[in-house]
Amino acid sequence: MKKDILSMDLPELTEEIKALGQPAYRAGQIYKWLHQAGENSFDGMTNLPKALREQLHDNFVIFGCSIEKKLISEYDETVKYLFRLHDGECVETVLMKYKYGYSVCVSSQVGCRMGCKFCASTLNGVVRNLAASEILSQVYTVQRDNGVRVSHIVMMGMGEPFDNFDNAMRFLRLVTDENGLNLSMRHISLSTCGIVPGIYRLAEENLQLTLSVSLHAPNNALRSSMMPVNKKWPVETLIKACKDYTSATSRRISFEYALVSGVNDTPACARELAALLKGMLCHINLIPVNEVAETGMKKSTTDSVRRFEALLAERGFAVTVRRTLGSDINAACGQLRRSSMK
Ligand code: SAH
């Protein structure tokens, strides 16, 4: 079996290249081609001798993404991709343009097994984890296709990063490597549905990234009805883990709260949420839920969103309402892949 070269860090690649009887400095050249130039074929690595390129062919594979579908928003230049992977499976990736630069939303799994009731990615369960290379290659392919350099990454696409923990960490190390894309860890957000052991493992890594926690409800009855993961790690356990995370890393947590009309968007919910998060170093991001036909959930009215936001702001919380980008191109989680499966 050919080895996944794009998932290797420079020391690992160096060992592999030495094992082929090649000088170690070749590994540095190959690594730059892969991670700085975004080269996706060995033949394109023009400063390598032909014999070495052939050895690379025989021993390694570069896991890339091919563009299966591409949608460009007419409103805000958001570009949404359906990428096909080497085994034919598909994942979604989104490029968003902000004042501060380009941000890419990457997927970490094909499908998802978390079962959140409002989410399209999970409707058919999980198919498989992505390798670190397959997460990276989403970023590289988006850069190449748009001729841009990405400055921010959010791990908020399809899948649960903590259900694919090791590959997610490897991806983070590679994408922030100074010999590669060299992104700042501070420009990366990772979102979890609330897998508590993952929060503790991430705290041990002590990274400067932003941890986003998909909370979506202020109490167990409501949260369990929206997110099955809450039955395993209930609200009090999750909030304790978040507090421990902040103590360990001094990093502010960002709570995601998707507002569903008549479900979790009442003033009583806002007050209960404020009581739950009282005193925490956190940010609350409100998201009018993206409507997915199969879920039957309706998004909150603009008035309910404003009222919810005001109730939190009055209580001293840093709260924002997420700008919905790409609303004309189904940029909501999992909907593009589903439409292509039907
Ligand atoms: N599995 C991780 C990351 C992927 S989902 C997590 O759950 O956090 C990224 C974010 O989109 C999460 O906050 C998720 O709850 C939210 N989300 C999923 N479906 C949504 C929808 N239909 N509308 C709004 N937000 C949604």
Side-chain angles (χ1 to χ4, degrees), residues 112 114 116 118-120 155-161 191-194 212-214 216 227 256 258 287-292 322 332-333 335:
C112 184
M114 295 301 135
C116 298
F118 42 84
C119 181
M155 296 189 81
M156 293 194 183
M158 298 174 47
E160 165 54 44
S191 183
T192 179
C193 64
S212 288
V213 174
S214 301
H216 304 322
M227 305 176 72
E256 307 290 305
I287 314 147
V289 80
N290 271 304
E291 295 179 7
V292 176
R322 182 181 297 167
C333 336
Q335 299 194 42

